[in-house]
């Protein structure tokens, strides 16, 4: 179908302008230097579930504050590391203090010393943050290795536990004698 010349000429001009603009835009993108990503640390150690922790409260937590002591036992492994670490254990004994199940949420500071299967240890200074998301208690520990193997490295520990007993306790309908969490640990050089 032949179209009048008057119609074809503006179409060609518009097409030419679009193509020229596209070429200039592409040239500008190629000539602009791309931003480099910030250097990331090297993952020195990772431990995945079935890594776990068990926290025991004596006496069991209720929704009324009372003097309670707690013990957290960690089992790390399987772990992957270039240093030969494949597993580790740690026990954190918390002195008796006034606590209720409402205290399970929020933030705190902890020092944790892990003994690895190689016989070496790592002492970690950690900040703890715990929240309930749906039916899950999510506890995130971040900090650094202050001494021993991986000294100076950043630490990230994610603990996940069912929140059913906590929710029941905060409603005044039960107690929290213990918590079982799955654990993922990453130690990264800075």
């Amino acid at each position: 179908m032949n179209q009048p010349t008057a119609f074809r000429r503006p179409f060609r001009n518009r097409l030419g302008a679009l193509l020229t603009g596209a070429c200039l835009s592409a040239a500008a993108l190629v000539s602009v230097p791309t931003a480099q990503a910030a250097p990331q640390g090297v993952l020195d150690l990772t431990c995945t579930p079935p890594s776990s922790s068990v926290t025991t409260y004596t006496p069991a937590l209720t929704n009324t504050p009372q003097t309670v002591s707690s013990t957290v036992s960690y089992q790390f492994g399987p772990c992957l590391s270039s240093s030969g670490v494949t597993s580790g254990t740690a026990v954190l004994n918390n002195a008796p203090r006034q606590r209720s199940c409402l205290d399970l949420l929020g933030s705190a500071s902890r020092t944790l010393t892990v003994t690895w299967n190689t016989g070496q240890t790592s002492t970690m200074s950690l900040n703890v943050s715990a929240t309930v998301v749906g039916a899950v208690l999510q506890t995130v520990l971040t900090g650094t290795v202050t001494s021993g193997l991986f000294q100076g490295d950043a630490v990230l520990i994610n603990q996940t536990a069912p929140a059913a007993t906590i929710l029941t306790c905060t409603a005044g309908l039960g107690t929290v004698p213990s918590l079982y969490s799955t654990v993922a640990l990453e130690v990264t050089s800075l």
Side-chain angles (χ1 to χ4, degrees), residues 150-184:
F150 309 118
Q151 183 173 355
D153 282 12
V155 178
L156 172 63
I157 302 174
N158 279 307
Q159 296 179 198
T160 305
T165 59
I166 299 165
L167 297 173
T168 303
C169 179
T170 57
L173 302 173
T175 64
V176 180
S178 63
L179 285 173
Y180 172 85
S181 301
T182 59
V183 174

Side-chain angles (χ1 to χ4, degrees), residues 2 6 17 23 30 36 38 52 69 71 73 82 88 104 128 132 160 173 186 188:
N2 280 336
C23 289
V30 171
Q36 295 292 324
S52 63
S69 61
T71 302
S73 299
S82 60
L104 293 175
V128 183
V132 171
T160 305
L173 302 173
E186 290 184 354
T188 307

Side-chain angles (χ1 to χ4, degrees), residues 54-104:
V54 176
T55 306
T56 306
Y57 301 99
T58 308
L61 293 173
T62 67
N63 69 345
T64 303
Q66 61 181 333
T67 302
V68 177
S69 61
S70 65
T71 302
V72 186
S73 299
Y74 287 93
Q75 295 290 325
F76 296 107
C79 303
L80 295 175
S81 170
S82 60
S83 62
V85 169
T86 58
S87 63
T89 59
V91 176
L92 179 61
N93 292 306
N94 295 305
R97 64 183 177 93
Q98 290 290 305
R99 295 189 73 171
S100 75
C101 52
L102 299 171
D103 295 323
L104 293 175

